[in-house]
């Protein structure tokens, strides 16, 4: 479905009242908690937050979880409580701690008084280094050599096909590294081989908002009372790829320790890097339990219900490129129904 058509249909739902009806029906269907998973700030974020303020009750993640798991299950009892906000609770989370969370999202949440929760990677906060998952594209784009040989294959950087293939190879090498040391060694070698250097906060970054925030910025955000923080490992490895279980433990335990030392209060919430079960595995689950975290979020795309495992909390994707009314229809669950009906009829007409 073309984006302009999606927007038109979503507006029809919105102004016809169907969107509000769908939200009301979800409220009546039982308790659930929506956690949105953003990364970068910008795009349609401002319009999205203004909409969410109208139809949902936006909370800090820890506050929402405490209420969600301790609240009564009886919906009639909830409704009888005078003055209680009956809107579905919703949490806005941002992974990784990009600078644009400070330069763009922070002024926005202050003006709207909208709480958010950010999952930080202390190793990157302290070093200011470029996030590894952005490195493959950056390395190839900024290369100063004509060709490079990686894993026995030579890539001609003047050819778009070779550049695209090289990005994929570099990503695989660093994404599935068996240790942080191996990943950093590979990145260092590739920078030399490609004749380039990755950006770093405060060193010729020229306002690059893809770099990590500093502790000073983080302290300012927390002091506002609108931004809370959780842990996201020390260096953002794919936990299931690490060969040494002790390193898995260190990545998780040290991330909590670093945050608590810098924020001067306990940290009980964690986000798995990448966030799908294959990325953290049973080893990751046991490690976060051993580290003392109470709640852990994933990127499993579902809503939370009272039976949800505290260490496998799902999050729905937050996309700042999506128009707010499309996001509204998707959260209510009605835009997906239209897509399913359209596909079903398309199959029928093909017969």
């Amino acid at each position: 479905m073309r984006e302009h058509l999606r927007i038109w249909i979503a507006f029809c739902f919105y102004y016809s009242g169907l969107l509000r009806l769908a939200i009301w029906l979800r409220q009546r269907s039982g308790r659930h908690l929506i956690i949105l998973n953003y990364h970068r700030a910008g795009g349609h974020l401002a319009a999205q937050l203004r909409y969410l303020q109208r139809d949902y009750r936006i909370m800090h993640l820890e506050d929402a979880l405490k209420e969600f798991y301790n609240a009564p299950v009886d919906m009639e009892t909830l409704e009888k409580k005078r003055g209680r906000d009956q809107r579905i609770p919703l949490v806005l989370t941002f992974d990784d701690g990009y600078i644009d969370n400070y330069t763009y999202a922070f002024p926005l949440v202050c003006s709207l008084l909208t709480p958010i929760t950010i999952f930080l990677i202390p190793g990157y906060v302290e070093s200011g280094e470029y996030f590894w998952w952005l490195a493959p594209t950056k390395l190839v784009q900024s290369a100063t050599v004509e060709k490079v040989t990686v894993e026995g294959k030579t890539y001609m950087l003047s050819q778009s096909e070779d550049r695209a293939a090289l990005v994929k190879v570099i990503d695989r090498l660093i994404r599935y590294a068996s240790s942080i040391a191996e990943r950093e060694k590979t990145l260092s070698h590739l920078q030399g081989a490609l004749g380039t250097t990755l950006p770093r906060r405060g060193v010729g970054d020229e306002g690059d908002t893809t770099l990590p925030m500093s502790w000073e910025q983080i302290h300012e955000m927390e002091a506002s009372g609108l931004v809370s923080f959780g842990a996201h490992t020390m260096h953002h490895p794919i936990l299931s790829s690490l060969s040494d279980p002790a390193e898995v433990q260190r990545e998780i335990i040290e991330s909590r320790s670093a945050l608590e030392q810098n924020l001067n209060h306990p940290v009980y919430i964690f986000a798995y890097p990448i966030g799908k079960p294959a990325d953290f595995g049973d080893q990751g689950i046991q490690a976060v339990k051993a580290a003392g975290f109470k709640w852990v979020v994933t990127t499993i795309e579902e809503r939370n219900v009272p039976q949800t495992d505290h260490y496998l909390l799902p999050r729905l994707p937050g996309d700042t490129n999506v128009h707010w009314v499309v996001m509204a229809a998707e959260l209510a669950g009605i835009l997906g129904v239209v897509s399913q009906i359209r596909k079903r009829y398309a199959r029928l007409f093909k017969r």
Side-chain angles (χ1 to χ4, degrees):
M1 189 185 299
R2 293 181 180 275
E3 188 60 22
H4 70 274
L5 181 57
R6 281 162 49 87
I7 294 173
W8 181 81
I9 292 174
F11 268 119
C12 289
F13 289 144
Y14 184 79
Y15 287 111
S16 68
L18 287 175
L19 177 64
R20 187 59 60 88
L21 175 61
I23 294 174
W24 181 81
L25 289 172
R26 281 199 176 275
Q27 289 174 311
R28 302 293 299 180
S29 67
R31 290 193 304 123
H32 60 275
L33 168 66
I34 296 173
I35 306 176
L36 294 183
N37 174 213
Y38 289 91
H39 290 81
R40 302 293 306 283
H44 295 287
L45 181 61
Q48 290 178 1
L49 296 193
R50 291 189 183 96
Y51 161 71
L52 291 171
Q53 278 190 322
R54 294 195 295 271
D55 281 352
Y56 295 88
R57 182 160 56 101
I58 304 176
M59 306 175 68
H60 282 305
L61 180 54
E62 187 167 346
D63 292 341
L65 290 170
K66 287 178 179 178
E67 177 186 284
F68 186 64
Y69 282 108
N70 293 324
V73 177
D74 185 357
M75 290 300 294
E76 292 185 4
T77 301
L78 285 176
E79 291 172 356
K80 288 179 181 178
K81 289 187 175 182
R82 292 183 179 180
R84 181 178 175 83
D85 191 335
Q86 297 297 315
R87 293 177 299 171
I88 296 171
L90 181 143
V91 176
L92 301 160
T93 67
F94 289 77
D95 283 4
D96 309 325
Y98 290 92
I99 285 179
D100 62 19
N101 290 186
Y102 172 78
T103 59
Y104 185 89
F106 183 44
L108 181 61
V109 301
C110 286
S111 66
L112 297 177
L113 299 179
T114 303
I116 64 173
T117 298
I118 300 176
F119 288 99
L120 298 172
I121 313 166
Y124 280 99
V125 176
E126 292 165 6
S127 69
E129 293 177 351
Y130 205 65
F131 291 121
W132 66 258
W133 54 91
L134 301 178
T137 299
K138 191 71 171 181
L139 287 170
V140 174
Q141 287 178 343
S142 61
T144 59
V145 298
E146 296 180 357
K147 61 181 180 180
V148 66
T149 300
V150 178
E151 292 191 316
K153 182 175 180 178
T154 300
Y155 298 86
M156 304 302 297
L157 299 184
S158 60
Q159 299 179 14
S160 60
E161 296 85 355
D162 276 18
R163 291 198 302 273
L166 181 57
V167 168
K168 292 181 179 180
V169 169
I170 295 174
D171 182 78
R172 174 176 55 78
L173 289 173
I174 60 178
R175 181 175 296 272
Y176 301 108
S178 62
S179 68
I180 304 300
E182 177 188 323
R183 187 181 78 195
E184 295 308 308
K185 181 179 179 181
T186 300
L187 281 171
S188 178
H189 169 73
L190 288 168
Q191 289 180 79
L194 291 166
T196 187
T197 302
L198 289 171
R200 186 172 181 172
R201 188 182 64 231
V203 183
D205 56 22
E206 299 178 355
D208 188 344
T209 57
T210 62
L211 291 166
M213 294 186 292
S214 66
W215 286 119
E216 181 180 6
Q217 293 166 334
I218 291 165
H219 291 151
E220 181 184 347
M221 295 173 83
E222 187 172 61
S224 71
L226 290 167
V227 186
S228 59
F229 297 97
H232 200 32
T233 71
M234 278 298 291
H235 303 97
H236 202 282
I238 295 181
L239 296 172
S240 60
S241 294
L242 298 180
S243 60
D244 185 356
E247 185 165 28
V248 174
Q249 291 278 357
R250 287 196 301 273
E251 279 292 312
I252 294 171
I253 292 173
E254 290 180 10
S255 67
R256 183 183 182 191
S257 177
L259 284 182
E260 291 182 340
Q261 289 176 14
N262 281 278
L263 300 178
N264 294 314
H265 62 72
V267 174
Y268 296 115
I269 304 179
F270 182 86
Y272 297 113
I274 311 301
K276 294 295 190 291
D279 302 312
F280 52 81
D282 291 338
Q283 181 175 249
I285 296 173
Q286 296 308 314
V288 293
K289 290 180 178 180
F293 288 103
K294 292 182 178 179
W295 299 287
V296 185
V297 298
T298 69
T299 55
I300 299 170
E301 296 180 12
E302 297 175 2
R303 290 168 174 77
N304 291 276
V305 296
Q307 296 76 30
T308 300
D309 190 321
H310 291 206
Y311 296 95
L312 293 171
L313 299 168
R315 290 185 290 175
L316 298 176
D319 187 350
T320 60
N321 294 316
V322 173
H323 193 284
W324 70 265
V325 77
V326 172
M327 179 195 69
E330 288 179 337
L331 281 180
I334 53 177
L335 197 58
V337 171
V338 172
S339 297
Q340 292 172 11
I341 293 173
R342 180 182 60 82
K343 291 177 181 177
R344 181 174 297 178
Y345 274 98
R347 289 196 298 269
L348 289 174
F349 286 124
K350 287 180 180 179
R351 292 178 180 176

